[in-house]
Each structure stands twice: as C-alpha cells, then as structure tokens.
Amino acid sequence: AMRVRIAISETSREIELEIDDVDTFKGEVEAAISEGTPILWVTDTEGHRVGIPVPKIGYIDISPDSRMAAGFR
C-alpha cells in the first residue's frame, strides 16, 4: 500500500489516504481533472470513501507507507 497526501487549496489540512493501486488512483485523478469533475470519490484500503474536491487540489504526494515497515533498520 502507498500513502497519498492531497493538499486542498484554501485549507490548512491535507487529505491522507492509504491506497493499494496507485496507478489506478493517478489515472482517476488525471481523468477527473481533464473532464472537469467536481468531486472524485476514492475508497482507501480500509473501505473509507472520501470525496476530493477536484478543482481545489493543490498537490498530491505519493510515498511508501512507512507505518507498514517492520524489523530493524
């Protein structure tokens, strides 16, 4: 799973999700932006559905979910 942080303009908070299929997520976001979709609904790995206001997306950060790491480093 990958951690996705989405900044929303005019707010100080980010939307943070854990996503299994990042390539599908990126494709859905790109399509929503190009089609002018007002809200993109995303389901995270725990089954939570989150509505993202597409016109207000500031940036999207995708990184490995470090919470899943185990063992010694």
Side-chain angles (χ1 to χ4, degrees):
M2 300 289 279
R3 185 174 60 123
V4 176
R5 292 183 311 145
I6 305 165
I8 304 299
S9 63
E10 301 175 17
T11 66
S12 60
R13 301 189 70 181
E14 297 174 330
I15 297 171
E16 190 167 331
L17 306 166
E18 189 174 301
I19 301 290
D20 282 327
D21 189 347
V22 173
D23 290 330
T24 298
F25 172 75
K26 289 190 318 189
E28 290 171 350
V29 171
E30 290 170 0
I33 291 170
S34 68
E35 294 168 6
T37 303
I39 303 253
L40 173 64
W41 287 96
V42 178
T43 304
D44 70 5
T45 58
E46 296 181 0
H48 297 117
R49 292 192 41 90
V50 178
I52 301 167
V54 176
K56 294 188 177 257
I57 292 175
Y59 67 83
I60 299 174
D61 176 58
I62 300 172
S63 61
D65 188 356
S66 60
R67 293 175 293 189
M68 295 185 68
F72 297 98
R73 291 186 178 214

